[in-house]
RNA sequence: GUUUCCGUAGCUCAGCAGGAUAGAGCGUCCGCCUCCUAAGCGGAAGGCCGGGAGUUCGAAUCUCCCCGGGAACGCCA
């Protein structure tokens, strides 16, 4: 039985409020010397018509201490509960061992489906640092929802349709050469793309030529389709290298082109539901009642738009996966777009409209201006990953020169540093890309967490806990702090899911790591006294286990040596 | 202009279903390896929580106004 619940029950019994409220009001004191749980008595002041500190003092006298609660002390308006540290440690650590890598998870998802639309790379465009956040946030959410008992469908909604492919083919046919593209890959395509825009500035006719080429793709012209397919495969091969480094897989690559034949349904359904209005030649859904600009479904030339496509995709996903939730991990620039078409889904009468969530995040820019594919100004994600791995190799050459498996570990740590960087802060924050920051492995970083894990593993290689554990050994401040951090991990995971904020898991991992490192420094785990050693090894094993679980949840691996 | 997000230490950020002295990391300065990985640990310095009103016993947290910054705003995605 959970201590927090037990305490809430006794407060409820003595104060007259419901156990539910009591549980709600209960908080964790700002510092450990003030106890493990605190009940602020302000809330009772009104109904009891007494001063809060008086209420606390009165409750202190009459409250019956539940088993495992050592004492209760009124401190001003607060009622502070002190748990028996040994029993708390026992309860928490046993839970970690019995649940193993499932610790912090639950079965609340009940196997229901969650679609997560993330990463969404563009064909023939660079996979750059701007894609990092969508990719790592989406992937982390995938892991977190799975941990909570959901079944996730990871969808890479490829940007694989549109007139830019006409431009690409025109540019390739005019200035390109096969060898360059085969050798340089997307970078060569980007050069052609940049050149196209430069030339098109001077000669408007290029745009017509591009449109013609795109029309050929649409009409199934063999040459055009072959080139289009070639570029698509080439881009995906390159992206696959990044995904491989990140250890990310997708369950579906159904992108824009996939929905080409699924948009008639959207138009006819909107028509039959009388939601479509002709305005300035375009077919729109009026959203002025919700203070939004109209959602354009068909252009005046009859072509579809991305809102049409997103609606088609949502309908398809609902039919195909019957999702409980569908998340779109897309930058906040598209806030309005999502609000608009979510509203259209709602107006269409679909009750699941409120199951669509735009998981938005801030922009990525560079110190010296904005990124622009058109101007050829990009930082490729793979270059960042490789630089981080290289940096790790250098550090390892210095710090652990005789480690076997250098390449594998360097990859784990280097990539971990980059991934962590995208998951350490709240999603809404804009990020200014900074090499120094990405390549910093000190302090609260991925490598720090991985290092902590490796340290713990190192101790556990010397000895494993065995037999009965004397939990009273773990009552000092340092081990208690580790226990407390481990104990609060499950709440962090649940909140991370509820808010779609993976950084809450990152922070929870850091809590455990810094508590563990302090413990490691202050107390000798391999103590001479067997009982002491055994208890500390037990704590070490639990901490390592939860750190690993936490890292895995946000998409990092945990090497046992580094 | 309208809508929306953001503004906390030199820098990057936590804290924001209101509560006990506002926390980390980086950077700076000072300490700690004859003992389990120093990618570590400790300490110091550094804050009218953008400004002003209001609600409240109590506001970094809620409301309104102002200032500063980002983003979006009909046929691109």
């Amino acid at each position: 039985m959970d201590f927090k619940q037990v305490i809430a029950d006794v407060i409820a019994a003595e104060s007259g409020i419901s156990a539910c409220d009591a549980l709600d009001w209960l908080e964790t004191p700002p510092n450990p010397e003030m106890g493990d749980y605190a009940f602020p008595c302000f809330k009772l002041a009104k109904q009891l018509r007494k001063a809060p500190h008086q209420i606390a003092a009165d409750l202190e006298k009459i409250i019956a201490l539940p088993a495992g609660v050592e004492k209760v002390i009124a401190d001003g308006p607060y009622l502070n509960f002190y748990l028996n540290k040994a029993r708390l440690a026992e309860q928490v650590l046993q839970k970690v061992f019995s649940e193993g890598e499932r610790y912090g998870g639950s079965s609340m998802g009940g196997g229901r489906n969650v679609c997560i639309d993330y990463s969404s790379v563009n064909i023939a465009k660079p996979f750059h640092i701007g894609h990092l956040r969508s990719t790592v946030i989406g992937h982390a959410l995938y892991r977190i929802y799975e941990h909570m008992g959901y079944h996730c469908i990871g969808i890479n909604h490829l940007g694989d349709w549109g007139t830019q492919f006409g431009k690409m083919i025109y540019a390739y046919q005019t200035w390109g050469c096969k060898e360059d593209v085969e050798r340089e890959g997307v970078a060569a395509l980007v050069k052609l793309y940049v050149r196209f825009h430069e030339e098109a500035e001077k000669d408007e006719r290029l745009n017509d030529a591009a449109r013609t080429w795109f029309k050929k793709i649409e009409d199934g012209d063999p040459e055009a389709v072959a080139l289009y397919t070639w570029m698509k495969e080439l881009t995906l091969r390159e992206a696959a290298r990044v995904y491989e480094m990140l250890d990310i897989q997708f369950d579906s690559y159904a992108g824009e082109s996939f929905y080409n034949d699924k948009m008639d349904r959207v138009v006819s359904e909107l028509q039959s539901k009388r939601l479509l209005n002709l305005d300035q030649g375009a077919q729109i859904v009026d959203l002025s009642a919700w203070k939004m600009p109209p959602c354009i479904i068909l252009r005046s030339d009859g072509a579809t738009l991305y809102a049409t496509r997103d609606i088609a995709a949502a309908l398809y996903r609902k039919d195909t996966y019957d999702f409980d939730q569908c998340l779109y991990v897309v930058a906040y620039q598209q806030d309005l777009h999502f609000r608009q078409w979510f509203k259209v889904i709602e107006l269409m009468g679909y009750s699941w409209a409120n199951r669509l969530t735009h998981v938005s995040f801030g922009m990525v820019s560079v110190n010296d201006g904005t990124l622009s594919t058109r101007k050829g100004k990009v930082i490729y994600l793979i270059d960042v990953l490789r630089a981080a791995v290289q940096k790790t190799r250098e550090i390892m050459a210095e710090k652990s020169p005789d480690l076997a498996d250098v390449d594998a570990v360097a990859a784990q740590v280097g990539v971990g540093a980059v991934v962590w960087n995208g998951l350490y802060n709240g999603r809404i924050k804009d990020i200014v890309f900074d090499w120094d920051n990405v390549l910093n492995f000190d302090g609260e970083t991925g490598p720090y967490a991985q290092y902590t894990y490796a340290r713990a593993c190192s101790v556990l290689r010397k000895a494993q806990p065995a037999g009965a554990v004397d939990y009273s050994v773990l009552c000092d401040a340092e081990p208690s702090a580790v226990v407390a951090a481990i104990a609060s991990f499950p709440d962090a995971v649940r909140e991370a899911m509820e808010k779609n904020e993976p950084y809450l898991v990152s922070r929870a991992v850091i809590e455990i790591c810094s508590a563990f490192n302090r413990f490691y420094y202050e107390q000798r785990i391999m103590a001479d006294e067997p009982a002491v050693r055994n208890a500390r090894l037990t704590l070490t094993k639990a901490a390592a286990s939860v750190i690993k679980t936490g890292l895995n949840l946000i998409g990092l691996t945990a090497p046992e040596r580094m």
Side-chain angles (χ1 to χ4, degrees), chain A residues 103-384:
Chain A
Y103 182 71
S106 81
S107 54
M108 67 183 285
R112 280 169 296 177
N113 286 345
V114 174
C115 291
I116 307 179
D117 182 320
Y118 64 106
S119 197
S120 302
V121 289
N122 294 316
I123 300 304
K125 294 262 186 75
F127 195 169
H128 57 80
I129 51 169
H131 295 103
L132 176 66
R133 299 189 85 185
S134 174
T135 305
V136 299
I137 291 170
H139 181 227
L141 291 175
Y142 189 111
R143 296 273 173 95
I144 291 168
Y145 274 86
E146 287 272 338
H147 203 58
M148 301 306 275
Y150 287 92
H151 174 253
C152 295
I153 298 107
I155 303 171
N156 198 329
H157 190 79
L158 301 176
D160 59 357
W161 205 245
T163 47
Q164 74 266 26
F165 294 101
K167 295 178 184 175
M168 280 308 317
I169 292 178
Y170 176 85
Y172 173 73
Q173 295 284 50
T174 313
W175 310 295
C177 94
K178 186 163 185 181
E179 292 71 44
D180 285 352
V181 178
E182 293 283 7
R183 193 179 59 247
E184 293 174 40
V186 173
L189 295 178
V190 171
K191 276 185 206 159
L192 292 168
Y193 188 72
V194 172
R195 175 141 186 206
F196 180 91
H197 281 279
E198 285 166 3
E199 306 272 350
E201 294 259 312
K202 296 175 233 156
D203 187 355
E204 181 57 28
R205 285 173 307 179
L206 293 201
N207 287 312
D208 297 331
R211 265 188 287 276
T212 308
W213 270 111
F214 181 60
K215 186 78 168 51
K216 282 189 181 177
I217 301 174
E218 284 186 300
D219 295 343
D221 172 80
E223 186 190 10
V225 170
L227 284 169
Y228 166 79
T229 309
W230 176 56
M231 290 176 183
K232 181 166 172 176
E233 284 170 353
L234 185 139
T235 310
L236 285 177
R237 261 204 308 280
E238 229 175 275
R241 288 209 287 271
V242 175
Y243 293 135
E244 201 181 317
M245 287 182 87
L246 295 170
D247 192 26
I248 292 179
Q249 299 83 32
F250 291 91
D251 302 296
S252 164
Y253 282 88
E256 294 172 6
S257 66
F258 179 79
Y259 296 101
N260 280 340
D261 60 354
K262 297 171 181 63
M263 286 185 282
D264 290 347
R265 174 186 169 191
V266 175
V267 177
S268 61
E269 210 174 306
L270 285 168
Q271 241 150 15
S272 67
K273 288 175 178 169
R274 306 197 166 280
L275 291 166
L276 236 38
N277 294 304
L278 188 64
D279 193 281
Q280 295 169 42
Q283 293 288 345
I284 65 155
V285 177
D286 179 51
L287 299 174
S288 54
W290 294 273
K291 293 182 185 167
M292 282 188 277
C295 184
I296 304 181
I297 302 298
L298 290 177
R299 279 187 339 207
S300 39
D301 65 359
T304 56
L305 280 102
Y306 68 131
T308 326
R309 210 171 290 269
D310 275 339
I311 293 168
L315 296 176
Y316 174 83
R317 289 174 191 176
K318 185 63 190 175
D319 287 348
T320 308
Y321 305 111
D322 189 31
F323 57 75
D324 180 65
Q325 286 185 75
C326 185
L327 312 180
Y328 296 84
V329 187
V330 179
Y332 69 59
Q333 291 165 74
Q334 299 197 31
D335 268 352
L336 178 61
H337 168 246
F338 281 103
R339 276 187 18 233
Q340 285 180 304
W341 76 259
F342 285 178
K343 178 57 76 178
V344 172
I345 294 278
E346 184 189 324
L347 293 174
M348 288 170 91
Y350 291 111
S351 60
W352 46 268
N354 62 3
R355 298 313 180 105
L356 304 170
T357 306
H358 177 203
V359 179
S360 62
F361 56 86
M363 310 224 318
V364 179
S365 58
V366 198
N367 333 23
D368 57 341
T370 24
L371 295 160
S372 163
T373 305
R374 284 191 187 189
K375 292 177 185 155
K377 193 174 173 186
V378 288
I379 298 175
Y380 288 83
L381 188 46
I382 196 142
D383 291 338
V384 177

Side-chain angles (χ1 to χ4, degrees), chain A residues 34 72 101 144 240 254 332 339 368 373 399 404 438 459 466 482 494 526:
Chain A
M34 297 165 131
V72 56
E101 59 187 26
I144 291 168
Y332 69 59
R339 276 187 18 233
D368 57 341
T373 305
K399 305 205 181 210
V438 174
V459 178
V482 179
R494 191 178 34 75
M526 295 296 288

